Amino acid sequence: MALSKSHAVSIALLAFFVCAVVSSDPDPLQDFCIGDLNVVPGINGFPCRNSSAVTVDDFIYSGIVNSSNTTNINRSGAIFGTVLRFPGLNTLGLSIARLDFLPEGIIPPHTHPRASEMVYVEEGTVYAAIVTADNRLFARVMNRGEVMVIPRGLIHWQMNVGRTNAKIIATLNSQLPGIQFIARSMFGSRPEVPNEVLEKTFFLDERGIDQVRSNFV
């Protein structure tokens, strides 16, 4: 049955408004929403604390003032300022991190499944890299003051190639960006990934698998 002109226009307008609804985030309904971490979060974050109890300290995070612990096998450390530590980020879609490196230190290959990232080299010289879904490597040495953008979900890493300590400040567009280290996920998960899978994926024998796993105990 053929549609009348008025019906066709109505369907076109409906399709337009449906697309408009699903293609943008809703506007905030309040100036801020300091997260109540004592309540289980919902799909959009934590419930808001009573605004009358909010102080200026709720908008300030001091967690990245001091350097992170770098006494580990990677000679690096990270401090994350997500909503779990900085409730003022609740519903804002933002988080921050401080990365510290000893000489030759590395933040190993990893991804952030829920966020894109910008890394700012505040001190030192780092080799920073991104690997895309079609296995293209984008990498170069970054110096103090330079910034790299890392699209959401892509494998990336940073390594100190200088003779002194290095420091990076990273910002991410999610209050809970998540982080998944490639090697730790495959060799340090519980229960363990079957040896047969690791043998066929990384071309390692059982001795090699055990050796790599020992780093994640």
Side-chain angles (χ1 to χ4, degrees):
M1 182 177 66
L3 293 174
S4 67
K5 184 176 180 179
S6 61
H7 284 162
V9 171
S10 297
I11 292 173
L13 288 173
L14 178 62
F16 171 81
F17 285 119
V18 168
C19 289
V21 168
V22 300
S23 65
S24 63
D25 293 331
D27 290 331
L29 300 179
Q30 62 276 318
D31 289 337
F32 55 83
C33 177
I34 308 300
D36 184 351
L37 302 188
N38 295 315
V39 181
V40 176
I43 191 170
N44 292 320
F46 291 89
C48 306
R49 282 171 42 200
N50 189 323
S51 61
S52 64
V54 171
T55 71
V56 66
D57 290 334
D58 291 307
F59 297 93
I60 297 173
Y61 179 61
S62 302
I64 60 173
V65 171
N66 298 316
S67 61
S68 54
N69 181 12
T70 55
T71 57
N72 53 66
I73 191 172
N74 294 319
R75 296 173 61 84
S76 68
I79 301 173
F80 284 90
T82 69
V83 68
L84 298 179
R85 296 182 176 179
F86 188 8
L89 295 173
N90 193 46
T91 75
L92 299 183
L94 295 169
S95 59
I96 193 168
R98 170 177 173 157
L99 314 179
D100 293 285
F101 306 78
L102 297 177
E104 301 182 359
I106 184 172
I107 300 292
H110 63 282
T111 70
H112 300 291
R114 296 184 291 275
S116 297
E117 180 179 10
M118 293 183 69
V119 294
Y120 168 73
V121 180
E122 185 169 315
E123 297 175 8
T125 305
V126 300
Y127 174 72
I130 304 168
V131 179
T132 65
D134 58 354
N135 298 318
R136 293 185 65 190
L137 173 67
F138 294 89
R140 80 166 174 85
V141 173
M142 295 176 61
N143 298 301
R144 182 175 180 270
E146 293 190 302
V147 177
M148 172 182 271
V149 61
I150 302 165
R152 174 179 174 177
L154 295 188
I155 296 173
H156 60 284
W157 66 88
Q158 299 90 27
M159 180 172 63
N160 185 1
V161 293
R163 296 183 178 180
T164 61
N165 292 351
K167 174 184 174 183
I168 283 176
I169 298 297
T171 57
L172 304 100
N173 67 339
S174 170
Q175 64 187 33
L176 276 175
I179 185 169
Q180 184 172 28
F181 288 98
I182 308 306
R184 181 174 293 278
S185 293
M186 296 302 295
F187 292 92
S189 63
R190 294 293 182 271
E192 293 180 344
V193 174
N195 280 10
E196 183 179 2
V197 173
L198 299 176
E199 290 171 3
K200 292 181 177 180
T201 302
F202 297 102
F203 308 104
L204 294 171
D205 57 20
E206 288 196 13
R207 181 178 179 183
I209 291 171
D210 291 340
Q211 185 175 0
V212 176
R213 275 193 176 134
S214 68
N215 295 305
F216 301 105
V217 174

